[in-house]
Amino acid sequence: MSLNLRSTSGRRLLGVGLAIFWLVLWEFAGRYAWVADGALPAPSSVVREIFSNFDVYQHHALATLKPAFIGFLIGNGCAILAALIFLLYPVTERLFRGVNITLFAIPPLTLGPILVLISHGEQPQIILAAISVYFPTMIAMLLGLKQADHRTMDLVRTYGGSKLAVLRFVRLRSSLPGLLAGLQVAAPAAILGSIMAEFGSGSRWGLGTYLLGSLALANADRVWAIGITATILSAIGYGIFALLSRKVNATTKAVTMTPSPVLEAHKSSGAVRWIKEPLLSLLALIIPFAIWWAIIAALKLPSIIAKGPFDLWSYLISGVRASVAQQRLIEALLQSVPYALIGMVLGLLFAFIMALLSHYNRFLRNSFMPVALLLQSMPLVALTPILVLLLGRDTLLTLTVAVLVTFFAAYVTLMQGLSQIPSAAIDLLSVYGASSLTKIRRVSIPSSMSYLCAAARLAIPRALLGVIIAEWMATGMGLGNLLNLSRGRMDYGMIWAVTFAAVAISILLYQIATVLERRLLRRFMGQG
């Protein structure tokens, strides 16, 4: 009896067979130390480690999960509220763009220890988890709100519907697929944020605390058991929202070719616009500094640790040793930024290719997602030592870490965009005998262009973060190495300077991406 691979049961059997094959291959690789001189343990050893110390892992997992869940609720609640405000009052999106990017671009390696010093208990984990989920969910929610069918909105307005009625009956329902895609990214991010906040916290319980102790003991079985535990927690959260997304997409997917949403036109005259645009950009730059200064002043944080904008100005510009600090920072930036740009491009390209392949091949999507979740959830402080043994301590390692950090959010966002492609557009080209490549070029890419731009906005800060992590742990170069040296010397001025530089570069690249996005949308979707 032959097996029909096109049937559902055939694909499932093939999937099970491939899973068994990879597990057996992994088992042999671990038993005989084929990979990284034994740094990759056999799955049987990892499972044995978990079940022999199940109570211990349970306590550590719960200690990480509780603040991650609270931070997940707080961060996503703020993200949804912010997206609604940005939609109803577009000028606020421009004003708070700097704040939004700052929250997403702050390296957890610098923020985590500071949160530990200025807060107590589970607060650092909650705060970092909330910050980790805010930006991806806000971007996804806002994109979904803006992608509503204008014909339906016009119909509501024709019957006297107000702006709030359009929001309630059209935009909110249209935003559900995008929101659920954002929550799929946010679930693993909350777990990872909680783990990162545990580093250096001194707490007894938590996967991050347990991981640091295991790395110090060079216990590969335990390190991978912790990573698998974190992946399971992330997979549960991701799976819940993926299932909801699949059900929602089944009922909301467009079946007709809808007109492209129109880019907002400038209502001001030329002279007013030339004044308004620079003013908004200036205010968007000032507001993060004002909030930064206000938080330090309100919490009365010690000046030796918490450096405000004026302290940073003195350290980098007007201080006695400012020229030395400038030189060190500039040299580090020149080493890190090129790698971040290349890693961002490679991460987006890889995410786009895999999203296309996964969209047209459900078996590949189901097979690849567990690997993507593992790479997203496995803390890089645990994965990097293995990558060092495999790839060395040079350019290849840095780019690989940058791609790993940027890939997952971009992949999920692009998958959501491809799932919204109108079936009528594909059917129309099929009638005329178009090839698969023609359908991708004529329909898939233009229809998902908004989501590709959103993926780029998510990737920009993460690429630089990935480079900093690789430099901090392995290569001894760039911003990561400068951050590591400054932490050892307790040079808090340089720690804040590195943080500021990372955020400033991210904001600049984000602004460039926004300008390019408007041009791409006009070209590919005929907007504006």
Side-chain angles (χ1 to χ4, degrees):
M1 183 177 67
S2 61
L3 177 64
N4 183 8
L5 296 181
R6 294 186 177 181
S7 66
T8 302
S9 59
R11 289 195 298 266
R12 287 177 179 174
L13 286 174
L14 180 60
V16 172
L18 282 177
I20 294 174
F21 169 77
W22 287 115
L23 283 174
V24 171
L25 184 62
W26 181 5
E27 180 71 25
F28 277 96
R31 282 181 179 272
Y32 297 101
W34 291 350
V35 177
D37 295 329
L40 177 66
S44 60
S45 300
V46 175
V47 173
R48 190 183 308 114
E49 163 66 23
I50 293 176
F51 281 98
S52 61
N53 300 284
F54 186 79
D55 290 341
V56 176
Y57 283 94
Q58 185 179 24
H59 279 89
H60 284 297
L62 291 176
T64 296
L65 183 61
K66 179 185 173 183
F69 180 70
I70 297 173
F72 179 85
L73 294 179
I74 294 173
N76 285 311
C78 293
I80 293 171
L81 180 61
L84 291 172
I85 294 174
F86 295 156
L87 176 76
L88 296 174
Y89 307 99
V91 69
T92 59
E93 182 187 1
R94 293 285 306 276
L95 289 174
F96 283 88
R97 180 174 293 170
V99 176
N100 291 330
I101 304 171
T102 298
L103 289 173
F104 193 55
I106 293 178
L109 297 175
T110 61
L111 184 59
I114 294 173
L115 290 175
V116 170
L117 291 173
I118 66 176
S119 57
H120 60 276
E122 296 177 341
Q123 291 177 1
Q125 295 163 265
I126 294 173
I127 294 172
L128 197 53
I131 291 175
S132 299
V133 306
Y134 167 78
F135 192 76
T137 301
M138 186 276 295
I139 286 291
M141 177 75 176
L142 186 59
L143 180 61
L145 290 169
K146 290 181 176 181
Q147 290 290 312
D149 190 340
H150 282 250
R151 298 173 301 180
T152 309
M153 290 192 290
D154 291 339
L155 180 63
V156 174
R157 295 189 188 103
T158 300
Y159 283 92
S162 63
K163 199 172 185 178
L164 289 177
V166 172
L167 175 64
R168 175 186 175 188
F169 293 110
V170 182
R171 289 193 184 273
L172 284 177
R173 299 184 183 187
S174 172
S175 69
L176 278 179
L179 173 61
L180 290 172
L183 294 177
Q184 291 174 55
V185 176
I191 298 295
L192 193 56
S194 181
I195 291 175
M196 293 294 290
E198 292 166 357
F199 294 162
S201 66
S203 59
R204 180 182 178 186
W205 299 104
L207 293 176
T209 302
Y210 201 33
L211 177 61
L212 285 182
S214 303
L215 285 170
L217 296 173
N219 190 331
D221 291 349
R222 185 182 295 173
V223 167
W224 275 84
I226 294 169
I228 295 298
T229 303
T231 302
I232 291 172
L233 295 179
S234 300
I236 292 173
Y238 175 88
I240 292 172
F241 294 110
L243 180 61
L244 290 174
S245 179
R246 184 177 301 178
K247 292 185 177 297
V248 169
N249 285 335
T251 59
T252 60
K253 183 175 180 180
V255 294
T256 61
M257 298 179 67
T258 59
S260 301
V262 180
L263 291 173
E264 295 178 9
H266 294 288
K267 299 179 181 179
S268 307
S269 62
V272 174
R273 186 166 67 248
W274 278 105
I275 298 174
K276 179 181 177 181
E277 293 298 317
L279 180 60
L280 287 175
S281 299
L282 179 62
L283 288 174
L285 184 63
I286 292 174
I287 288 176
F289 286 97
I291 295 175
W292 174 11
W293 175 83
I295 290 175
I296 292 176
L299 297 179
K300 298 180 180 179
L301 302 177
S303 59
I304 191 173
I305 296 174
K307 304 295 182 182
F310 300 110
D311 299 320
L312 193 59
W313 175 272
S314 176
Y315 184 84
L316 289 176
I317 306 297
S318 63
V320 177
R321 295 182 55 81
S323 59
V324 177
Q326 287 179 24
Q327 182 179 359
R328 294 172 62 198
L329 184 60
I330 291 173
E331 288 176 355
L333 282 170
L334 292 177
Q335 291 174 344
S336 299
V337 172
Y339 287 126
L341 292 174
I342 297 172
M344 179 191 69
V345 173
L346 292 177
L348 281 173
L349 181 62
F350 182 46
F352 186 69
I353 292 174
M354 292 306 302
L356 278 176
L357 295 175
S358 300
H359 176 69
Y360 291 104
N361 190 320
R362 182 179 296 180
F363 171 74
L364 177 63
R365 180 181 63 195
N366 295 336
S367 302
F368 179 71
M369 184 53 68
V371 178
L373 269 174
L374 176 63
L375 295 176
Q376 168 70 14
S377 307
M378 187 78 166
L380 284 175
V381 292
L383 195 59
T384 301
I386 297 176
L387 295 177
V388 168
L389 292 172
L390 292 174
L391 306 175
R393 295 177 179 268
D394 51 15
T395 300
L396 185 57
L397 172 69
T398 304
L399 294 178
T400 300
V401 174
V403 170
L404 291 178
V405 170
T406 59
F407 168 76
F408 185 77
Y411 173 73
V412 173
T413 302
L414 289 168
M415 282 293 295
Q416 177 59 36
L418 292 171
S419 70
Q420 299 299 304
I421 295 176
S423 57
I426 300 295
D427 293 341
L428 179 62
L429 291 182
S430 298
V431 169
Y432 285 93
S435 64
S436 297
L437 289 178
T438 300
K439 294 175 185 177
I440 291 174
R441 184 167 59 89
R442 294 289 187 183
V443 177
S444 298
I445 293 178
S447 296
S448 61
M449 188 55 60
S450 296
Y451 289 87
L452 177 60
C453 294
R457 296 200 300 272
L458 289 172
I460 286 170
R462 307 305 290 179
L464 184 56
L465 173 60
V467 170
I468 291 174
I469 291 175
E471 293 169 341
W472 176 60
M473 294 199 62
T475 66
M477 297 172 58
L479 292 175
N481 182 57
L482 183 57
L483 178 62
N484 201 21
L485 294 175
S486 301
R487 290 179 66 180
R489 297 167 181 168
M490 299 186 70
D491 185 356
Y492 290 102
M494 183 56 75
I495 291 175
W496 283 88
V498 170
T499 303
F500 170 77
V503 172
I505 293 295
S506 298
I507 292 176
L508 175 62
L509 294 177
Y510 191 97
Q511 290 289 106
I512 295 173
T514 301
V515 174
L516 293 176
E517 176 181 0
R518 296 182 69 88
R519 295 184 178 181
L520 284 173
L521 292 180
R522 286 192 180 100
R523 177 180 177 182
F524 282 89
M525 304 179 68
Q527 296 180 356

